[in-house]
Amino acid sequence: MTARVRVPLLAVLGVLLLAGPFLGMSGYLARTVMLVGILSLLTSGLNIVLGYAGELAVNQVFLYAVGAYVAAYLGSAHGVTDVLAVLAVVIVAAVVIGLVTGIPGLRLGGWSLAMVAFFMVLILPSVVQVLEKYTGGPLGLSTPVPTIFGQELGERGIYVLIVAAVVVWFVIARNLIKSAHGNAFLVLRQSPILAESLGISVFRLKLVVYVIAAVPCAIGGALFAWLDGFIAPDTFTFAMALSVLAASMFGGATSIYGALVGALLLQVGQQQLTAFSELELVIYGVFLLAAALVFRNGLTGLFRTLVAQARRRGWLPAAPSAATSAVRTAAPARSGGLEPIEGRTLSCRGIGKRFGGNQALDDVSIEAVPGRITALIGPNGSGKTTLLNLMCGFYTPTAGSIALGETVISGLKPFKVARAGVARTFQTPMVARGMTTRDFVAAGRYTERKVSMAASVLRLPSYRRGKRADEADALALLELVGIGQVAETEVSELPLGTRRLAEVARALAARPRLFLFDEVASGLDPADLENLERAIIAIRDAGGTVVLVEHNFPLVLKVSDTIHVLSRGELIASGTPDEIQRNTRVLEEYTGSATAVTDLELAATDSEGGH
């Protein structure tokens, strides 16, 4: 189902739900709709932090309790019942609690973070007891009827309030996820290293994710407090935390509307199984196991898979973008086509790097200048990738310094090095799952041409201009490297060689001063290799500074202007391709013989003749 069909359909559904009580909806059904909506808010918060950002911060029930108690306390203790005023305070509380509870996520990860989050849920009764003056302790707290502009909301008013809040939140979530910020979340989920190489501060982005995901949970708590008019600690249980997790897994953690599907399934299931409430934890355990084994991407993921299979078999018409891609033929890479690049000189002076007792690099000094291709070669374990990691900030040298132009970049955090103008590819391509190739390439521009979250959510003109520019640039760069036909294909599904070319396009999108290519030719077929050569030469001709770490010696001899050779962490030779292939020490390292000149010469000759 395309967005042009899905969005109007959901809008109509939202209007019908809002009008439900006025169209004869029963009280039981109305309450079910409200409870599904509230649970979907919690599930949506979990989907953002876990499904999209990959953080196991499963403390949604704690945040839910915060929202409920804030709303109840403001109403019962201070007489503040205005919906807008209370929700404003609840959102502020969510932001504060989201920041504070997000701190463990900056140090922890995986199941360690999940255990901390679950612990927060388990200690809720104790927290409520300690704050009995404000929470009512085990006896609970009554919540006055909410008002809008001084008018009390009746049953219908509360229903409309809850459904409207859910609709507004899912519009916000949809617009945010379907933007460059949502793609940044997917990059973070894939790898913090990839995120930092794009100039993204992992520290800041994690905090942003925690805060955004906290807001719907706290709002859901306030809505629940108004719905029942009373809250107590036994509402916010570990079983409820498991129900949110189960709803996310069943609906689809990486689906915007999967939260609604999962919440509907879980809420209706709870109501039908009230006789088995004592087996609640067992039932949720079975649900989670089934979701993990059968519905790995949730029901929405299963639906997408079935639709894709139906399209492949011709049972359904192809999606417009897929149809366009299918009929296109692979375009050769354009020669040139790059705007001038303001390259900067890379200077590595006396670089040393020690890992415990292992001296990985020892007094290495090299220079790479704009408009030239500088290659680093050497046997496995010679220190090439270590030096590359030092250049982009993932390691800090134990001796020496690295400068880009006049700026010393050694010792800077990786995202700051990236923002200084350094882009790289990886020995094993790092691409984000759940993104089209075009979006992945456009992610390289995230920190350079950033559109605010507010503009993205509200779909302001600045968002639309930025999106059009990013997509046009990404498509042009994919054409440059000869893979424009895969623009709408999910990047993680591409063959290895094509993923490498997509990484090159992503690096180009950042418009850096310095390009670091790590084994980028590995796994490429002859056609892709030719496209790669053209792209690297285009970068050089545009004025970029290129450092190429590569085992493909014929490619190195063909495109490089200067070659540096490393062996056992030491720089053993530097020179032109002609000088290097005749250097006796280099020959000994590669062939074991100082007289085996013909091996390297023939490799270079074969490469030139083959192109």
Side-chain angles (χ1 to χ4, degrees):
M1 186 184 297
T2 64
R4 289 185 177 182
V5 176
R6 182 172 57 247
V7 173
L9 183 61
L10 290 172
V12 171
L13 178 61
V15 171
L16 290 175
L17 285 175
L18 282 169
F22 307 96
L23 299 176
M25 179 183 286
S26 69
Y28 175 81
L29 181 56
R31 180 173 176 82
T32 299
V33 170
M34 289 186 282
L35 291 175
V36 168
I38 291 172
L39 180 57
S40 72
L41 290 175
L42 275 72
T43 308
S44 177
L46 178 59
N47 281 2
I48 288 174
V49 75
L50 175 59
Y52 284 94
E55 294 292 297
L56 271 169
V58 288
N59 59 341
Q60 287 69 40
V61 171
F62 185 89
L63 295 159
Y64 180 61
V66 168
Y69 276 105
V70 167
Y73 175 74
L74 288 175
S76 61
H78 298 284
V80 180
T81 59
D82 183 78
V83 167
L84 298 179
V86 173
L87 287 181
V89 177
V90 165
I91 290 172
V92 170
V95 170
V96 173
I97 299 299
L99 287 172
V100 173
T101 58
I103 291 174
L106 303 177
R107 293 287 182 183
L108 303 175
W111 287 107
S112 298
L113 177 58
M115 292 302 100
V116 172
F118 278 135
F119 176 73
M120 293 172 63
V121 177
L122 293 174
I123 65 171
L124 259 174
S126 299
V127 173
V128 170
Q129 181 67 45
V130 170
L131 301 176
E132 183 175 1
K133 177 182 177 181
Y134 308 100
T135 64
L139 298 178
L141 201 61
S142 295
T143 308
V145 177
T147 61
I148 290 183
F149 306 122
Q151 299 295 316
E152 287 190 354
L153 295 179
E155 291 182 1
R156 287 182 176 180
I158 292 176
Y159 174 92
V160 171
L161 170 64
I162 292 174
V163 174
V166 172
V167 169
V168 169
W169 168 253
F170 274 91
V171 169
I172 291 172
R174 183 261 178 196
N175 288 353
L176 181 62
I177 294 301
K178 296 294 184 180
S179 74
H181 300 288
N183 288 335
F185 296 168
L186 292 174
V187 168
L188 175 63
R189 182 189 69 180
Q190 182 64 32
S191 169
I193 292 175
L194 176 60
E196 289 193 297
S197 73
L198 299 183
I200 297 172
S201 169
V202 170
F203 176 92
R204 180 181 176 185
L205 187 58
K206 281 187 177 183
L207 287 182
V208 168
V209 168
Y210 296 146
V211 167
I212 292 173
V215 170
C217 302
I219 290 176
L223 295 176
F224 178 77
W226 288 325
L227 172 61
D228 271 16
F230 178 81
I231 55 172
D234 58 5
T235 302
F236 314 103
T237 62
F238 184 72
M240 185 179 187
L242 289 182
S243 73
V244 175
L245 183 58
S248 175
M249 294 185 68
F250 259 90
T254 53
S255 168
I256 298 167
Y257 307 112
L260 286 167
V261 175
L264 175 62
L265 177 66
L266 263 292
Q267 184 59 45
V268 172
Q270 285 175 339
Q271 293 176 183
Q272 298 300 317
L273 298 174
T274 52
F276 302 95
S277 57
E278 68 277 5
L279 299 175
E280 194 173 21
L281 290 176
V282 175
I283 292 170
Y284 287 139
V286 173
F287 264 64
L288 290 171
L289 183 61
L293 295 177
V294 182
F295 306 114
R296 299 195 62 181
N297 295 311
L299 292 173
T300 53
L302 178 62
F303 176 76
R304 287 194 294 263
T305 300
L306 293 175
V307 169
Q309 290 179 351
R311 282 175 174 158
R312 281 197 295 269
R313 296 179 181 182
W315 298 344
L316 289 175
S321 59
T324 302
S325 298
V327 300
R328 293 177 59 180
T329 55
R334 299 181 316 195
S335 56
L338 289 178
E339 296 178 0
I341 299 173
E342 296 182 6
R344 293 287 184 272
T345 298
L346 173 72
S347 300
C348 301
R349 295 286 179 261
I351 298 299
K353 181 60 182 178
R354 179 181 291 275
F355 298 98
N358 177 36
Q359 186 72 41
L361 291 171
D362 185 17
D363 194 26
V364 174
S365 296
I366 67 169
E367 185 175 85
V369 298
R372 296 178 71 82
I373 298 172
T374 302
L376 289 175
I377 65 172
N380 289 330
S382 61
K384 304 184 299 298
T385 297
T386 297
L387 183 55
L388 211 65
N389 285 332
L390 288 166
M391 292 175 183
C392 57
F394 290 113
Y395 296 156
T396 301
T398 50
S401 66
I402 302 174
L404 185 63
E406 301 299 321
T407 304
V408 176
I409 59 175
S410 50
L412 293 180
K413 293 184 181 298
F415 80 91
K416 291 186 176 180
V417 174
R419 292 184 182 184
V422 178
R424 71 165 293 177
T425 65
F426 294 88
Q427 205 169 65
T428 300
M430 286 192 184
V431 296
R433 290 178 291 112
M435 293 175 66
T436 65
T437 306
R438 182 174 59 183
D439 284 343
F440 174 69
V441 173
R445 294 288 295 156
Y446 180 68
T447 58
E448 291 296 316
R449 187 158 53 206
K450 191 171 182 179
V451 177
S452 71
M453 286 191 177
S456 298
V457 168
L458 298 174
R459 290 301 193 253
L460 298 180
S462 59
Y463 160 79
R464 299 183 185 281
R465 288 194 300 269
K467 182 178 176 61
R468 285 195 298 267
D470 285 347
E471 289 182 347
D473 286 353
L475 185 56
L477 292 171
L478 287 170
E479 295 285 2
L480 175 69
V481 298
I483 56 172
Q485 74 278 5
V486 300
E488 301 301 327
T489 303
E490 185 168 328
V491 66
S492 61
E493 296 178 355
L494 297 175
L496 174 62
T498 312
R499 271 182 283 155
R500 291 194 184 279
L501 292 174
E503 271 204 318
V504 173
R506 185 264 300 158
L508 277 164
R511 297 182 183 173
R513 318 286 192 184
L514 169 66
F515 296 81
L516 305 176
F517 294 129
D518 191 3
E519 302 288 357
V520 71
S522 178
L524 298 188
D525 60 29
D528 285 341
L529 187 60
E530 185 175 353
N531 287 336
L532 172 66
E533 291 174 9
R534 290 177 178 174
I536 293 176
I537 291 171
I539 295 170
R540 179 197 65 189
D541 293 345
T545 305
V546 178
V547 174
L548 177 65
V549 173
E550 189 54 65
H551 277 297
N552 187 326
F553 197 72
L555 173 66
V556 170
L557 292 177
K558 184 174 182 180
V559 304
S560 300
D561 298 291
T562 302
I563 301 175
H564 300 288
V565 186
L566 292 173
S567 178
R568 301 178 184 87
E570 297 181 353
L571 184 65
I572 63 171
S574 297
T576 65
D578 186 63
E579 292 169 341
I580 291 300
Q581 66 180 325
R582 287 173 172 75
N583 185 292
T584 55
R585 186 171 180 186
V586 174
L587 294 173
E588 289 175 352
E589 290 290 338
Y590 272 88
T591 67
S593 170
T595 60
V597 179
T598 55
D599 289 344
L600 297 180
E601 288 182 334
L602 284 174
T605 303
D606 290 343
S607 174
E608 293 170 2
H611 294 289

